[in-house]
Amino acid sequence: MTRARGGLALGLALLTLSCQGSKDAPPGPPIKTFFTARRTDSRFYTANHMQASIEMQISGEPFAQLLGRQLGGFNRFSRTPDLYVNPATGETIVDTLGYATAIESYEYSKQPMNNLSFESGAGVSVMFAPLINPANLTGDDAFNLLVDRLQHLAEVSNSGGPPGRNFVVSPPPLANPLNFYGWPGFWPQFAEYRSFDPAITPPGGATRGCTFTGGYLAASMGVQVVGDYECGYNGLNLAMRDQQVEKVLAPDALGYATWKQSLWVINYWQNLHDVANNPITVVADADLPMIGVPANQVVGQYADPTDPTGVRLLDGVPGVYLGDITIEGWQGLAMMDEIHNKAQLLLGSLTTGDGVQLGGFASTKEAIDYDASAPLRWWPEAVAVTEVATAPAENLANKYFPQPTTFAILTASSRLRDLSALAGGFGTWFALTDFANPQVGGQPSSRATFDGDPLPADNQLPDGEDTSHDRALAVIKVALINLDRLHFDVSHQVLVDRVTVQGGQVQRGTTVDTHDAAYAIVGMRQALRAISSTLALYSNDTPDTIGAPTRLDGAKSGALAGRVTQLIRAQADFLADKIVGADGSVANSYDLAAGARDGSPTLLQSEAAAIRGLLDGYLATSDERYRQTAERVYADLERRFWMEDVRAFRTTAGVDDPLTYTPLQFATLEGALRQYWKLVARRSGQERVANDLLERFRRTFKLVVNGWDDANADDVVQYKDECTGAGLQMAERALTGELARPGDEGDRDHDCVPEISSVGLPSALAGEIVLERRK
């Protein structure tokens, strides 16, 4: 969890708690609501969901802190939704904006990532990852490789021990068919499939054997008994996996999943921990090799919690291990292994030079040296995976995972969206491996991780070593080169959406999709800040230094950074001059062949993406024109999309009813509102805009994500009358207030989001919901 860094005064006045508990509706006429809602698609679309989760994480704890909230003041286990202890008065109040950001947006972003990484099994198993099982062994040989690796990660994070003594059972209870790896039902996978039906069968009920403690920043939490599925994932695996998953690998899904995983791992790696769970931030360089070694006697230091300046340090106790806390250390290391193996799969197996056959670069060095003069290789849009079952009996399915036997090109085209996701995703991952990055990779936690154990050491040069550092650089390099080489239309000075290659000839499409054009800026800037050693976890909202040295300068085509800045400027110019009209209205796309904007009604995601992309263009170039254009678009967003009568955003311009929300529609809007508040509305003289924006942020989150229509604006959930029937968030778990107890009737905190075992769905976003005005 992030630690409070102080912050601004609260952006909105907090509302005093006016009742104890969300109220069941009194007898009489139902309470008025503006909307009813229904879920029209529950499928998990990996790329869209992970892109949404990225925006939701950045709009979570860090945004709440900017708004002045202290994270420890939220009570996520109260039966009353949205409680906060006001630090100034000690009074318990209702704070829907603070809770939506600090708790809900943040946790709702994390749990689907865990679902992908460890729980569902909706991807290629780590059992057959190329760096863990290079010989593609099966049976007990493959099992032993994986269980040994997971147990070692438990050892270096100090999360393993006898049953009942720690999070991971070490050694694993091999005779227990429910717990082969030390954590029940653990299903790690490193290459996420494009989509899947997320239906699961989690057990209801909670025993005292599964508890959380106060380490999760919940006010007055103590020891909390939670649902049994929090301590074991057997009920969180897909029940009929073969029928539920689409066995297709797509670069945008792999890239955005990496981006999200890397953000969270960086969060996990903000400090180390000692055996007393002190948050260690300072360790002598000479002690770094001993961190994570069993029974080590390293003594680190941590900030004195009683010192408001944060300067005074206290000595911890002997024994320092990886990760901010034990369980997050183990989970973070497992995700690191997944990302590292994903990079190797992308470089070694998932590229093509002809659109027919898959292959890869001969070495990491060849990939890092890839440039416009090298033989063309690209990542196809979709690759079909054939698997075979390896479990000899059903009760062994969680021990011997399905083995991928063939990868075949399904769709050969190259997409801008894919390359943006890979550049941004592996840029974020690279920051953790980069010792020159003072805020991320230069921290003791990272240097102790990438020192040879548990992950390979690197000389910090772009010379093609088989390490996380150089494989990340290689993916970034290939993605950025192909953005330019394949997708840049010189005559129109813009990156096109889709490219095909036939007979060695590049055939560029003529469509520029607004959303993808804008997020290309976001992805390129993320990669550029990463290789410039300036990427931070969250504080990337100041203008970049143009022309700074990069970690790829020593590789072939060392002038890459300057070219990427040119591409960012070209994209921002095209958005400002072609996509955005003089009145601030935004088109969904632009047809280069016709030289015309798309005339269909503007989608909310297009309007919001234009704001998001222009503001990142401003940060990348310091060109004030892009921020000014974003202000025109925001004025149009207010004019054409905000409906004051029902306090909701249209999802299509001119359409008052219905409203169709997807994860992409919602999260693009959330990201645009967040960045506009940071870069425009916080300025002097913008107070009304800032307050209106935060109120709309709050209202949209509760209506669209939770499915709570607070039409009377009293900040109290009149349960169930004010529940619309569906929110994008399909279900929730302990860290947002659900404890899986039968007496809770499926929604303990009465916030309109059900508990997962009551609906058989994970804590994840639906593919689509439709809100209709109540007639």
Side-chain angles (χ1 to χ4, degrees):
M1 301 294 182
T2 56
R3 293 181 297 278
R5 300 181 296 273
L8 307 175
L10 299 187
L12 288 176
L14 299 178
L15 301 174
T16 301
L17 180 62
S18 59
C19 68
Q20 299 302 312
S22 54
K23 298 189 296 187
D24 292 325
I31 294 166
K32 178 184 176 183
T33 57
F34 296 130
F35 295 102
T36 60
R38 54 195 169 87
R39 185 182 307 129
T40 51
D41 186 358
S42 62
R43 197 165 185 84
F44 192 116
Y45 298 97
T46 302
N48 289 354
H49 202 313
M50 290 299 98
Q51 186 177 349
S53 291
I54 292 163
E55 296 289 13
M56 292 174 74
Q57 180 174 343
I58 302 170
S59 299
E61 281 188 1
F63 194 40
Q65 289 175 304
L66 277 178
L67 295 174
R69 275 59 167 185
Q70 294 186 15
L71 301 179
F74 291 98
N75 189 344
R76 62 180 83 210
F77 289 99
S78 173
R79 287 183 176 272
T80 301
D82 310 322
L83 291 191
Y84 180 65
V85 178
N86 189 320
T89 66
E91 180 184 19
T92 298
I93 57 179
V94 170
D95 176 15
T96 50
L97 175 63
Y99 199 86
T101 53
I103 304 302
E104 290 174 326
S105 191
Y106 199 63
E107 299 297 350
Y108 292 166
S109 83
K110 176 190 179 184
Q111 290 167 358
M113 173 198 68
N114 281 5
N115 184 268
L116 272 177
S117 299
F118 313 132
E119 299 170 0
S120 65
V124 180
S125 170
V126 173
M127 177 172 280
F128 299 101
L131 303 176
I132 290 178
N133 185 359
N136 209 22
L137 302 174
T138 59
D140 283 337
D141 292 331
F143 167 74
N144 289 331
L145 289 173
L146 180 55
V147 74
D148 289 349
R149 181 61 176 171
L150 292 175
Q151 287 286 308
H152 182 59
L153 300 184
E155 182 179 67
V156 298
S157 59
N158 197 36
S159 59
R165 295 282 300 276
N166 215 325
F167 288 98
V168 180
V169 178
S170 298
L174 301 181
N176 183 349
L178 298 178
N179 189 2
F180 292 108
Y181 290 95
W183 182 280
F186 198 70
W187 189 318
Q189 52 85 25
F190 75 103
E192 301 83 5
Y193 284 144
R194 184 166 66 178
S195 76
F196 59 98
D197 169 4
I200 52 176
T201 55
T207 67
R208 296 207 63 83
C210 188
T211 61
F212 284 166
T213 61
Y216 279 91
L217 299 172
S220 304
M221 180 178 172
V223 177
Q224 183 66 61
V225 178
V226 297
D228 289 346
Y229 50 71
E230 302 289 358
C231 296
Y233 297 158
N234 287 295
L236 305 182
N237 302 154
L238 300 180
M240 302 180 67
R241 177 183 178 274
D242 278 354
Q243 290 73 45
Q244 290 177 251
V245 298
E246 180 191 21
K247 296 181 182 180
V248 174
L249 299 177
D252 61 341
L254 300 176
Y256 279 122
T258 297
W259 196 333
K260 171 60 182 170
Q261 290 166 327
S262 299
L263 275 179
W264 210 276
V265 170
I266 293 171
N267 188 46
Y268 285 164
W269 254 240
Q270 287 181 96
N271 56 263
L272 300 153
H273 69 277
D274 63 21
V275 294
N277 286 317
N278 294 310
I280 302 299
T281 57
V282 177
V283 177
D285 284 352
D287 288 336
L288 290 178
M290 292 302 296
I291 291 174
V293 175
N296 76 81
Q297 295 298 298
V298 173
V299 175
Q301 293 179 301
Y302 64 99
D304 182 349
T306 67
D307 176 16
T309 69
V311 173
R312 186 166 58 245
L313 297 176
L314 300 177
D315 287 342
V317 301
V320 178
Y321 293 86
L322 297 175
D324 57 350
I325 60 176
T326 54
I327 185 58
E328 291 180 350
W330 187 63
Q331 290 178 337
L333 289 166
M335 279 193 280
M336 289 184 185
D337 260 358
E338 291 169 2
I339 296 168
H340 190 195
N341 280 275
K342 195 180 331 184
Q344 178 57 28
L345 182 72
L346 281 160
L347 294 169
S349 302
L350 295 186
T351 67
T352 183
D354 58 10
V356 179
Q357 295 294 323
L358 284 171
F361 292 94
S363 65
T364 308
K365 171 66 171 170
E366 183 186 22
I368 281 185
D369 284 343
Y370 179 76
D371 66 4
S373 67
L376 179 63
R377 297 204 71 84
W378 74 93
W379 287 292
E381 175 182 344
V383 171
V385 180
T386 302
E387 292 179 338
V388 296
T390 62
E394 186 176 349
N395 67 335
L396 298 176
N398 277 20
K399 179 178 181 180
Y400 306 106
F401 297 119
Q403 179 188 24
T405 55
T406 59
F407 299 95
I409 295 174
L410 193 62
T411 308
S413 53
S414 173
R415 294 191 305 169
L416 177 63
R417 174 176 173 79
D418 296 332
L419 298 177
S420 303
L422 290 171
F426 282 90
T428 310
W429 169 238
F430 173 73
L432 198 70
T433 74
D434 177 18
F435 295 175
N437 185 319
Q439 294 192 51
V440 185
Q443 295 296 310
S445 52
S446 295
R447 289 186 288 135
T449 302
F450 298 95
D451 64 353
D453 183 16
L455 287 164
D458 186 273
N459 62 10
Q460 298 292 296
L461 299 174
D463 54 0
E465 294 181 288
D466 289 330
T467 63
S468 301
H469 177 280
D470 281 7
R471 287 189 173 103
L473 278 180
V475 176
I476 296 166
K477 178 76 176 295
V478 175
L480 293 177
I481 290 293
N482 279 348
L483 277 166
D484 192 8
R485 183 177 184 179
L486 288 175
H487 287 265
F488 190 65
D489 184 315
V490 176
S491 61
H492 295 95
Q493 292 291 293
V494 72
L495 297 165
V496 301
D497 293 351
R498 190 181 296 268
V499 173
T500 58
V501 180
Q502 293 186 354
Q505 299 299 307
V506 175
Q507 299 178 356
R508 294 184 181 88
T510 61
T511 300
V512 177
D513 176 85
T514 300
H515 181 275
D516 291 350
Y519 271 88
I521 296 174
V522 177
M524 286 189 289
R525 179 173 178 254
Q526 188 84 354
L528 191 55
R529 283 185 66 89
I531 63 175
S532 301
S533 301
T534 59
L535 186 69
L537 175 58
Y538 299 126
S539 54
N540 297 295
D541 301 308
T542 55
D544 302 341
T545 301
I546 299 175
T550 80
R551 306 299 283 172
L552 275 169
D553 287 349
K556 195 174 180 181
S557 297
L560 180 65
R563 179 56 181 160
V564 173
T565 301
Q566 291 175 353
L567 292 176
I568 290 174
R569 186 177 290 277
Q571 286 296 98
D573 283 342
F574 196 90
L575 283 174
D577 298 336
K578 300 293 187 181
I579 297 288
V580 178
D583 60 353
S585 63
V586 174
N588 294 320
S589 63
Y590 192 93
D591 186 336
L592 298 176
R597 302 196 322 158
D598 172 31
S600 63
T602 306
L603 299 175
L604 178 62
Q605 70 187 44
S606 301
E607 191 99 351
I611 296 170
R612 182 77 168 89
L614 286 163
L615 290 176
D616 254 37
Y618 157 70
L619 291 172
T621 65
S622 294
D623 192 329
E624 185 65 34
R625 185 172 79 98
Y626 303 142
R627 182 159 66 173
Q628 292 169 351
T629 305
E631 291 183 63
R632 292 208 320 271
V633 178
Y634 186 80
D636 186 67
L637 180 73
E638 288 190 310
R639 182 173 57 251
R640 288 200 299 153
F641 285 86
W642 180 251
M643 298 181 290
E644 187 61 39
D645 62 329
V646 291
R647 306 198 325 277
F649 284 101
R650 297 179 178 91
T651 52
T652 303
V655 179
D656 291 358
D657 188 35
L659 312 180
T660 302
Y661 272 96
T662 65
L664 217 54
Q665 288 269 42
F666 166 73
T668 306
L669 174 64
E670 187 185 44
L673 293 178
R674 180 196 69 238
Q675 292 304 103
Y676 195 83
W677 185 86
K678 289 181 178 181
L679 299 173
V680 179
R682 290 174 71 187
R683 296 182 297 176
S684 178
Q686 297 281 331
E687 289 79 9
R688 182 199 63 80
V689 174
N691 284 336
D692 286 350
L693 183 155
L694 291 175
E695 168 56 24
R696 291 167 187 177
F697 185 108
R698 180 196 69 83
R699 163 68 174 166
T700 301
F701 192 98
K702 292 297 185 178
L703 175 65
V704 175
V705 179
N706 289 47
W708 168 34
D709 186 0
D710 186 24
N712 61 8
D714 67 351
D715 263 12
V716 177
V717 183
Q718 274 81 34
Y719 187 82
K720 297 181 179 178
D721 283 339
E722 287 188 339
C723 298
T724 62
L728 272 178
Q729 184 68 19
M730 294 188 292
E732 60 182 11
R733 293 168 58 169
L735 290 180
T736 46
E738 296 297 339
L739 304 182
R741 297 173 181 171
D744 294 339
E745 298 180 342
D747 189 359
R748 176 180 176 273
D749 56 358
H750 287 184
D751 64 352
C752 302
V753 185
E755 182 267 330
I756 66 170
S757 71
S758 70
V759 290
L761 291 166
S763 177
L765 301 179
E768 182 184 88
I769 62 166
V770 174
L771 289 89
E772 297 173 304
R773 289 190 179 224
R774 189 179 291 277
K775 301 298 189 278

